């Protein structure tokens, strides 16, 4: 029985081929997650299967029509056994993805991704689903730049969320002390492996000392320095 199921709605479902690879591919094979792809055009009416129209108020580009989105999301919700659903609408105007949001989403039962194209999705889709008690709508951006569509943003969010699900990572300790981990949200210290000397660059001596207290203190100091370099506050 899958712990978390995902439904991805897009006019380019082939964009999601990488989900068969690596950790996410293995997580599907072992039943920890379940992913279903949906082609929005299957929900479009008319011979041209059009999913967009000109914007009210004028302006450049086309806007994705609410009707195919409503049909696609209703069908996905009706076909799910989950009691609660997270509907993620990808948009550069949304709240910015953070590790905190990824952690919250990793506790979800069912996540639906609505991948926009053109100038985005008619805003009433977000408004309508916000009125339904069993659906939590989140408009999410993966950063302050504009992509051509929500598919790559969906892949980014899924990778951040799925690796947090218990059993997905071979070694759960990998999640401890990671960059942006709560509560202090500092980034990780620099990592080194063998050889100890490479192209004239030596591994910091403290890491070869075997003194765990010293290593811990050095790592914390490095992590704080890197975090401050990014212009962020650290707790003392
Ligand atoms: N007209 C929109 C605006 O200025 O906010 C941009 C639309 S963009 C060309 C098309 C689609 O790409 C969006 O509807 C969204 O699904 C996706 N997208 C673009 N940039 C994104 C970002 N930074 N984060 C998440 N999704 C993004």
């Amino acid at each position: 029985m899958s712990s978390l199921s995902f439904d991805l709605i897009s006019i380019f479902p082939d964009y999601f081929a990488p989900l068969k690879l690596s950790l996410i591919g293995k997580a599907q094979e072992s039943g920890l997650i379940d992913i279903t792809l949906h082609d929005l055009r299957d929900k479009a009416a008319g011979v041209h299967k059009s999913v967009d129209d000109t914007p009210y108020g004028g302006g450049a580009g086309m806007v994705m029509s609410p009707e195919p989105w409503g049909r696609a999301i209703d069908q996905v919700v009706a076909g799910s056994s989950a009691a609660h659903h997270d509907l993620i609408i990808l948009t550069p105007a949304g709240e910015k993805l953070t590790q905190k949001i990824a952690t919250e989403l990793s506790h979800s039962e069912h996540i639906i991704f609505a991948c926009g194209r053109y100038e985005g999705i008619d805003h009433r889709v977000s408004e309508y689903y916000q009125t339904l008690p069993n659906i939590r709508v989140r408009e999410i951006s993966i950063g302050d730049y504009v992509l051509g569509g929500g598919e790559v943003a969906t892949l980014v969010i899924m990778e951040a969320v799925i690796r947090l699900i218990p059993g997905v990572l071979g070694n759960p300790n990998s999640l401890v002390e990671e960059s942006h981990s709560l509560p202090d949200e500092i980034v990780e210290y620099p990592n080194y492996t063998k050889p100890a000397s490479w192209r004239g660059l030596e591994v910091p001596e403290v890491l070869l000392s075997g003194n765990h207290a010293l290593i811990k203190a050095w790592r914390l100091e490095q992590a704080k320095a890197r975090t401050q370099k990014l212009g962020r506050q650290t707790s003392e």
Side-chain angles (χ1 to χ4, degrees), residues 60 62 64 89-95 114-121 140-154 157:
M62 302 293 272
M64 296 190 101
I89 300 180
L90 288 315
T91 163
E95 61 177 328
C115 303
R117 282 268 154 187
Y118 316 116
E119 294 305 324
I121 303 171
I140 297 184
S141 164
I142 61 160
D144 292 340
Y145 41 79
V146 179
L147 302 165
E151 292 77 11
V152 171
T154 295
I157 298 171

Side-chain angles (χ1 to χ4, degrees), residues 16 32 35 39 77 111 171 175 187 194 203 211 213 221 235:
F16 298 114
L32 289 169
I35 302 174
D39 188 340
V77 170
I111 306 179
N171 182 354
L175 298 174
V187 297
K194 295 178 193 71
V203 167
N211 184 327
E221 179 198 309
S235 56

Side-chain angles (χ1 to χ4, degrees), residues 21-28 30 32-33 99 106 158-178 181 188:
L21 305 175
S22 187
L23 283 177
I24 299 182
K26 284 193 192 125
Q28 287 180 86
S30 58
L32 289 169
I33 58 167
Q99 190 67 12
S106 72
M158 288 182 75
E159 184 141 326
V161 170
I162 291 169
R163 64 193 293 285
L164 297 176
I165 297 171
V168 169
L169 289 188
N171 182 354
N173 284 333
S174 303
L175 298 174
V176 180
E177 286 189 1
E178 270 196 323
S181 302
E188 199 181 53

